[in-house]
Amino acid sequence: WHSRVWSWIYWTCGRNCGKFPKNLRQKRSDLQKELEIAKQDYARLVRETHYADMQQSPLLFLLSADNFQQLVRRIQYMQQFAAYRKEQVKRIESLQTEIDIQNSLLEERKQNRSTALQSQKREQDKLTRDERKQKDMLQSLKTKEKNLLAKQKEQQKKVDALNKKIEELIAKQVRTTTT
């Protein structure tokens, strides 16, 4: 039955696997309806057989045959009827097995989707944390840059003041030597 299930999955899924869960649910629903009908038919068959058994026993039914040929036909009828009942039971069991398979496939799909969503959520959280770290780092670097620029300006002012003093001293020296 596994090969039947997988061939059904392949046939159903085909190229449009996006519709897989919907088709799977529809198949399960159809199987459940078919199972319910089969159970009702079987219950009706059992009730009618039980009612007939209460009216007349099977042995009496066989022994009341008019001749040997009719007796053989009645035996064949009873065998066919018993085979039909067994076939109905097998059909019900088969449908129930298919429904169980569909349920397990749906549950597996649901778990896979849940796992994928959890994984996606973890990734999203990780990306959010990384983005927050980068923003914090960028802010820290901007603050450091601002501080360094302020220090550089201060240093440049000191250098400019020092250069101005040196020029003044040189100019003063030049004036004193030329006079």
Side-chain angles (χ1 to χ4, degrees):
W1 54 269
H2 282 294
S3 63
R4 240 184 356 172
V5 169
W6 289 115
S7 64
W8 175 83
I9 289 171
Y10 178 75
W11 179 81
T12 303
C13 190
R15 293 184 180 179
N16 51 355
C17 283
K19 296 182 179 178
F20 185 73
K22 184 177 181 181
N23 290 341
L24 204 54
R25 282 190 210 101
Q26 183 62 42
K27 178 71 173 173
R28 182 183 65 173
S29 176
D30 292 346
L31 286 171
Q32 286 174 332
K33 288 176 187 173
E34 191 175 338
L35 176 65
E36 190 60 37
I37 291 169
K39 283 182 177 180
Q40 289 173 356
D41 288 346
Y42 184 73
R44 182 184 46 78
L45 181 69
V46 168
R47 277 193 310 273
E48 289 174 1
T49 305
H50 181 68
Y51 181 73
D53 284 347
M54 288 175 63
Q55 297 287 329
Q56 179 180 7
S57 74
L59 184 59
L60 188 59
F61 175 68
L62 292 175
L63 294 177
S64 67
D66 293 337
N67 55 37
F68 184 73
Q69 187 177 9
Q70 190 179 27
L71 174 69
V72 170
R73 281 195 310 251
R74 287 182 178 192
I75 290 172
Q76 288 174 344
Y77 168 75
M78 290 181 73
Q79 288 172 342
Q80 288 173 351
F81 190 73
Y84 177 73
R85 285 179 66 176
K86 287 180 183 177
E87 183 182 311
Q88 290 295 318
V89 169
K90 285 182 182 177
R91 180 173 173 239
I92 290 171
E93 289 171 349
S94 171
L95 287 171
Q96 186 61 52
T97 302
E98 285 189 49
I99 289 172
D100 292 343
I101 290 169
Q102 299 301 321
N103 285 338
S104 66
L105 288 173
L106 278 171
E107 186 60 34
E108 181 181 337
R109 181 73 175 180
K110 184 178 175 183
Q111 287 176 346
N112 289 344
R113 183 174 286 157
S114 174
T115 303
L117 287 173
Q118 288 173 352
S119 175
Q120 186 179 15
K121 175 99 171 90
R122 282 193 302 268
E123 279 297 316
Q124 185 65 35
D125 291 345
K126 182 180 177 191
L127 287 173
T128 303
R129 283 192 308 269
D130 289 348
E131 185 179 3
R132 195 174 306 127
K133 281 181 184 178
Q134 287 178 353
K135 283 182 180 179
D136 292 345
M137 189 180 295
L138 180 64
Q139 188 62 38
S140 172
L141 288 174
K142 282 183 178 181
T143 304
K144 284 182 182 180
E145 179 185 27
K146 195 183 277 185
N147 290 339
L148 287 174
L149 285 174
K151 283 183 181 180
Q152 183 184 13
K153 278 185 177 180
E154 189 178 315
Q155 291 290 333
Q156 188 63 41
K157 283 181 183 178
K158 286 181 182 178
V159 167
D160 289 344
L162 189 59
N163 281 338
K164 189 175 182 182
K165 270 193 175 186
I166 291 173
E167 286 177 11
E168 286 175 2
L169 286 173
I170 290 174
K172 187 178 181 181
Q173 186 69 30
V174 169
R175 275 184 282 183
T176 51
T177 51
T178 51
T179 27

